[in-house]
Amino acid sequence: MNKAFFFANLLMISLIACKNDNKGTDPNQPPSHLQPGEKANATVLAGHWIALDFCAFANQYGSVLQAMNNNHKPYAYALTFNPAKPDSVICYNGFEAWTLPVTYNQDTITVIGARPGKNIFIIYHSEGEKDITMIDPTNERVQIDKFIKSKATAQDGFGAFNTALNHHVFNGVFTPVGKGATEKVTLNPAGELKGLKGFTRYKICSDGDCFLAGQEIDVVSFYHHKDEAASTKYFGYRYNGQNDTLTIYNLINTNPAEKGAYKVGTPAYKFSRQRTQ
């Protein structure tokens, strides 16, 4: 779906929401269909769907935190539909998964009880890219997010989302600047890390307790695949304004007795980035 068509859909949704507000309709009722076509069902939707809009904002800012704060965090980062369980959907955030009942009506999926007593809605667009739009009216402002079906060979929705997020945040070739790393570093979408001694894998923090320094800085963990528990080390990361220079910072635990009491320390590595497609 191109940008013009997507934003036209958003305008239609806004108009529908305003019309419904004027009538005092139940916000737990699905909106009018936006794109009649192939009916939605668990077989048609089978697979992992990822929050593309959120990944795009993380790419724009070079930051998960800024994507959350300057826009919003979607209700879920990923959704999984399974034809073997047609009446439910699995939702994923950055650290947990939960299953909710769903109903289908033409191109509209109602996710029942997404929040206590409140539903969210998903519109399936059966033409072109065959994406879905999540409409979440459970907050003070209606949140709208585009999802696409993942092509990654991931075991679950969280893995599919991580693959996309990795690509959007760390796509490119990283050349060391100054001390620290001595060779070019690659961080591929599958979470593999090459070029840093002692580390072979990485994970971007996207939710929960891994934001060790709170809102101060984004966090990534590096570890060796042979012993993740013993080798994991957390770092802060920050791009410059042009997203072509990446600095990896040490995180200092200022109070070991207090959970999350970290501050940003000195740079551990610094890289210039040449983006790749």
Side-chain angles (χ1 to χ4, degrees):
M1 181 186 295
N2 60 39
K3 291 184 178 179
F5 184 74
F6 181 58
F7 285 109
N9 271 347
L10 299 193
L11 177 60
M12 290 176 67
I13 293 168
S14 298
L15 292 174
I16 291 168
C18 290
K19 184 177 180 181
N20 286 344
D21 286 344
N22 290 336
K23 288 185 176 182
T25 54
D26 185 351
N28 272 335
Q29 294 302 311
S32 300
H33 301 317
L34 303 181
Q35 186 179 322
E38 183 181 13
K39 293 182 180 180
N41 57 60
T43 299
V44 168
L45 298 174
H48 309 306
W49 295 77
I50 55 176
L52 180 64
D53 283 345
F54 185 83
C55 290
F57 284 123
N59 179 300
Q60 175 185 339
Y61 299 120
S63 165
V64 171
L65 285 174
Q66 289 190 52
M68 291 178 178
N69 297 334
N70 294 341
N71 297 281
H72 64 262
K73 180 178 178 290
Y75 172 77
Y77 284 139
L79 305 168
T80 296
F81 293 91
N82 182 354
K85 299 179 180 179
D87 298 326
S88 64
V89 62
I90 304 175
C91 306
Y92 300 85
N93 60 20
F95 60 94
E96 62 184 351
W98 62 101
T99 301
L100 291 171
V102 298
T103 60
Y104 296 90
N105 182 9
Q106 299 295 325
D107 61 352
T108 302
I109 304 99
T110 300
V111 182
I112 301 171
R115 302 191 197 279
K118 297 181 179 180
N119 304 333
I120 62 175
F121 310 100
I122 298 169
I123 308 298
Y124 171 57
H125 306 285
S126 61
E127 299 179 1
E129 297 179 6
K130 295 189 176 182
D131 54 31
I132 61 177
T133 299
M134 176 183 287
I135 305 171
D136 179 2
T138 66
N139 299 288
E140 292 182 2
R141 297 180 60 185
V142 175
Q143 294 183 178
I144 300 169
D145 294 278
K146 176 182 176 181
F147 286 66
I148 62 170
K149 185 180 287 190
S150 173
K151 296 179 181 178
T153 56
Q155 293 184 348
D156 54 31
F158 185 53
F161 170 76
N162 277 346
T163 299
L165 185 65
N166 291 345
H167 170 74
H168 280 79
V169 175
F170 286 138
N171 65 313
V173 178
F174 295 84
T175 303
V177 177
K179 298 179 180 180
T182 58
E183 59 181 287
K184 289 185 178 180
V185 170
T186 58
L187 302 93
N188 71 20
E192 296 172 344
L193 169 61
K194 298 179 182 179
L196 286 183
K197 184 178 180 180
F199 303 115
T200 61
R201 306 281 299 181
Y202 73 96
K203 291 180 182 177
I204 296 174
C205 177
S206 58
D207 203 2
D209 293 343
C210 55
F211 283 115
L212 299 177
Q215 293 291 312
E216 182 66 22
I217 197 168
D218 284 275
V219 174
V220 61
S221 61
F222 295 160
Y223 63 95
H224 198 285
H225 68 280
K226 291 184 178 180
D227 192 348
E228 179 177 353
S231 62
T232 294
K233 185 173 182 178
Y234 290 91
F235 295 92
Y237 70 90
R238 184 178 291 140
Y239 283 98
N240 65 342
Q242 293 72 43
N243 283 351
D244 59 11
T245 300
L246 172 67
T247 305
I248 306 290
Y249 292 88
N250 292 303
L251 294 177
I252 302 172
N253 190 347
T254 58
N255 184 358
E258 181 180 346
K259 189 175 183 179
Y262 285 77
K263 69 176 183 179
V264 180
T266 57
Y269 312 100
K270 187 174 183 179
F271 305 96
S272 63
R273 175 170 73 157
Q274 181 180 359
R275 294 199 190 206
T276 56
Q277 295 298 319

